[in-house]
Every structure is written in C-alpha cells, then in structure tokens.
Amino acid sequence: QLSSLPSSLATELTNLAVLTLTNNRFTGNIFLPPLTSLIDLRLENNSLTSLQGISGYTSLQKLYLDNNQ
C-alpha cells in the first residue's frame, strides 16, 4: 500500500491518462505537482482529507473519491 506518490511522477509519465490508486493509505494532499494529462483518477478507499491542488489537473474528466475522509 502506498502512502505518497513519487515526486517524479509528473515529469516521468507526462502522457499518463488513467491512474488507479484505490485501497492505499493516502491521507493528505497528494495532488501536487499536477498530472496535467490525467483524464481518469481513482482514489477510492483511502483517507484523503483535502482536494487542494486538484485544479491543476486541467484534463481531468473523471474523479472517484468514494470512502475517503
């Protein structure tokens, strides 16, 4: 289970369109730096408490956040 994302994710996977991070241990703000090509983001079953930084995800069309804080 993950508790944070690698800081290099935004620079190494610049064309990433779909990311599934369900059933992990994310608790805080994981949205920086933004993944600007991401279209579909699944974050169900974590412990997220903030969406700060999500506005930087300019291509995002689907966001799944069920069962978070």
Side-chain angles (χ1 to χ4, degrees):
Q1 289 185 327
L2 298 172
S3 58
S4 64
L5 292 177
S7 58
S8 60
L9 192 64
T11 57
E12 292 180 5
L13 298 174
T14 56
N15 294 319
L16 184 66
V18 177
L19 183 59
T20 300
L21 295 168
T22 58
N23 300 313
N24 281 288
R25 296 181 294 172
F26 297 116
T27 58
N29 182 7
I30 65 160
F31 299 107
L32 295 172
L35 302 169
T36 56
S37 296
L38 206 61
I39 295 170
D40 186 315
L41 178 58
R42 295 180 171 271
L43 290 164
E44 301 103 319
N45 301 315
N46 283 285
S47 298
L48 294 173
T49 57
S50 171
L51 294 178
Q52 183 177 357
I54 196 72
S55 62
Y57 286 59
T58 53
S59 298
L60 194 63
Q61 297 175 12
K62 296 179 183 178
L63 177 62
Y64 301 90
L65 293 168
D66 293 342
N67 299 316
N68 277 283
Q69 300 288 326

